[in-house]
Amino acid sequence: MKILANLMVAIVAALHFGFLALEMVYWTKPLGLQVFHLTPELATATQTLAANQGLYNGFLAAGLVWSLFARQNGFALKIFFLSCVVVAGGFGAWTANPEILFVQAAPGAVALALALISNRKA
């Protein structure tokens, strides 16, 4: 179960590195315009905001990777960063786009549940 939990944490980290790329690199490019349903004008006007958002997603991804390799407090780091992912995803779904609940919050919640289950003492 621990391997499955760690695999899911790695998937969530990879998703967030992908969000970083979309928001920091591809926001004004055809891929970003398509994914976020933006006009070129709106993308240009919001590019700095998107880059800031992407940076935060990068921090979440880095924290999750850290949690996988940490010799001390790895479990606590997983719980903290996965909780941040779930809260950020829930807030994004509430304030920006309900799809964020499924793209960000749900994978984070699954990884969080698996991490908690895999850490239970028998």
Side-chain angles (χ1 to χ4, degrees):
M1 181 64 82
K2 192 168 193 156
I3 292 171
L4 180 60
N6 285 339
L7 177 62
M8 194 64 197
V9 170
I11 289 169
V12 173
L15 284 170
H16 280 77
F17 279 125
F19 301 154
L20 174 147
L22 281 169
E23 294 165 348
M24 294 187 84
V25 179
Y26 296 106
W27 188 258
T28 59
K29 309 284 191 284
L31 178 61
L33 298 176
Q34 180 183 356
V35 168
F36 295 106
H37 310 290
L38 300 170
T39 64
E41 297 79 22
L42 183 57
T44 300
T46 58
Q47 186 173 11
T48 302
L49 295 171
N52 188 299
Q53 191 170 287
L55 184 63
Y56 287 108
N57 278 310
F59 289 145
L60 290 173
L64 291 170
V65 171
W66 177 27
S67 78
L68 291 171
F69 294 99
R71 292 194 182 265
Q72 292 183 329
N73 301 316
F75 176 72
L77 290 167
K78 277 182 201 143
I79 299 309
F80 174 76
F81 283 103
L82 288 170
S83 296
C84 289
V85 165
V86 172
V87 170
F91 187 75
W94 180 47
T95 60
N97 184 340
E99 288 180 18
I100 295 171
L101 191 65
F102 303 103
V103 175
Q104 182 177 7
V110 169
L112 179 60
L114 289 170
L116 289 168
I117 291 167
S118 72
N119 197 56
R120 287 180 41 189
K121 304 292 185 233

